[in-house]
Amino acid sequence: SGYFFVSDVHVPRSEDDSPATGRAATECWFAKWAVDVLPEHTVVINSHSAVQTPVSRLQRYLESETCQG
């Protein structure tokens, strides 16, 4: 409850408010999906890094130049 586990789609390397440019297409797509579908209090846990991503940070991804461009 309150966590969403994902593998390979969302792989953050830091707690930055924008995704890595090399993963922009996938990360921005996932951010849009997560913001639209997951409850706002949800934390996304991925299987490839220790970074935990709240949906609020994914909203900031969508507002970043990386996802806006």
Side-chain angles (χ1 to χ4, degrees):
S1 70
Y3 293 97
F4 181 80
F5 293 92
V6 66
S7 178
D8 299 330
V9 176
H10 175 60
V11 186
R13 297 292 179 211
S14 72
E15 294 183 6
D16 288 342
D17 286 343
S18 63
T21 55
R23 293 193 44 81
T26 302
E27 293 284 355
C28 296
W29 174 88
F30 177 74
K32 172 81 170 106
W33 177 87
V35 166
D36 287 348
V37 175
L38 298 175
E40 65 182 321
H41 68 277
T42 305
V43 175
V44 177
I45 309 293
N46 74 90
S47 61
H48 295 292
S49 76
V51 178
Q52 298 181 10
T53 310
V55 169
S56 60
R57 186 178 314 130
L58 293 172
Q59 176 62 48
R60 292 190 298 273
Y61 270 28
L62 296 177
E63 297 163 358
S64 72
E65 287 185 24
T66 303
C67 290
Q68 292 289 315

